[in-house]
Amino acid sequence: MSPSAKAGALPDPLPEPAAEDLRLEVVFGALSDPLRMEIVRKLLVESGGVYHPCGWFGFDRPKSSLTHHFKALREAGLIRQRQYGTERRSQVRTEDLDARFPGLLDLVASSKPAAG
């Protein structure tokens, strides 16, 4: 039995870059899309530090579009995702990003929400 299979344990995260491999230009590229910036901002400001499914965000977008955006954020190293059955839940990699790029998440959190 894997450690994540134990009752009460979190599922293993989906593949993501190691903290030391995070690159500023890749992070900026992911944040250059207004929807992705809003995803990260909302997770920082409203999530309470817990993992959230894509339905929590309330975006009126096709699931395939949202899947693409969340994957881009994960592959850039901005979010960590865990699989809960058929649902993926996301959380910002706050500790890793603050260590690599001090002040970046403060800027994202203080940005204005994207216009509807």
Side-chain angles (χ1 to χ4, degrees):
M1 177 182 275
S2 74
S4 64
K6 293 180 184 174
L10 290 174
D12 292 333
L14 297 175
E16 63 188 34
E20 62 272 10
D21 294 333
L22 297 177
R23 299 178 51 110
L24 188 57
E25 67 273 16
V26 175
V27 169
F28 278 168
L31 290 173
S32 68
D33 181 276
L35 180 63
R36 292 195 290 260
M37 177 81 140
E38 179 61 11
I39 290 168
V40 176
R41 189 200 69 76
K42 190 165 178 149
L43 282 170
L44 287 169
V45 174
E46 301 176 24
S47 77
V50 298
Y51 286 86
H52 286 285
C54 64
W56 173 81
F57 294 87
F59 297 131
D60 186 23
R61 299 281 179 101
K63 185 176 180 179
S64 60
S65 172
L66 291 174
T67 299
H68 163 76
H69 289 293
F70 280 94
K71 181 180 178 186
L73 289 169
R74 181 174 45 85
E75 289 179 347
L78 283 152
I79 64 171
R80 173 164 290 134
Q81 289 188 302
R82 296 180 189 273
Q83 189 81 34
Y84 292 81
T86 60
E87 181 178 80
R88 287 186 179 177
R89 297 183 187 179
S90 305
Q91 181 182 57
V92 176
R93 292 176 61 184
T94 307
E95 189 174 307
D96 293 338
L97 290 161
D98 282 344
R100 288 282 287 156
F101 314 114
L104 175 67
L105 294 180
D106 292 334
L107 291 170
V108 173
S110 66
S111 67
K112 293 184 180 182

